[in-house]
Amino acid sequence: MVGGNAIRGTRVGAGPSGESERGESAPRRRISYWCANGHESRPSFSMDAEVPEEWDCPRCGLPGGQDAKNPPAAPRTEPYKTHLAYVKERRSDADGEAILAEALERLRQRRQI
């Protein structure tokens, strides 16, 4: 005997599918968006819904606009910064040398005791 479910391909409680069973769908409109790579996506919106100015491209993830000749620019992503890079932004080389000299002096005093 083959193991399996006799109700294959449906879920429990699922009725017949079709427009007449679910009611009429809301009127829709399709809007075209183009990304910087030239991909076109056409999501559908309800007629009374507010249409966004930008839509993320499902192929490459870049933002897309409604003007095919002038798509929005790709967002600029900041590279990962190390702890040292943040410290160098806050302190000058002279500050670093002063802090190092102070730390070395404390270390030398501890060793003499």
Side-chain angles (χ1 to χ4, degrees):
M1 179 171 176
V2 177
N5 193 347
I7 310 174
R8 192 172 7 174
T10 63
R11 60 186 151 85
V12 175
S17 59
E19 279 299 314
S20 63
E21 296 296 325
R22 289 182 284 175
E24 296 295 321
S25 62
R28 299 203 167 276
R29 61 181 165 171
R30 294 183 80 76
I31 307 293
S32 293
Y33 292 92
W34 288 271
C35 69
N37 290 335
H39 303 138
E40 179 186 12
S41 56
R42 294 181 41 101
S44 64
F45 298 96
S46 174
M47 290 299 258
D48 57 345
E50 185 177 328
V51 177
E53 291 184 26
E54 291 186 359
W55 191 264
D56 288 342
C57 177
R59 291 176 64 186
C60 64
L62 293 176
Q66 295 179 20
D67 185 8
K69 293 181 172 66
N70 190 17
R76 185 169 180 254
T77 57
E78 291 289 325
Y80 174 77
K81 287 186 182 179
T82 63
H83 176 72
L84 182 60
Y86 283 111
V87 170
K88 286 182 178 181
E89 284 181 359
R90 291 192 315 265
R91 304 199 190 279
S92 67
D93 288 341
D95 291 341
E97 288 175 16
I99 292 171
L100 177 64
E102 182 182 321
L104 289 174
E105 182 60 33
R106 276 187 278 156
L107 184 64
R108 288 182 187 121
Q109 287 177 358
R110 268 193 277 158
R111 286 188 176 176
Q112 288 178 359
I113 294 178

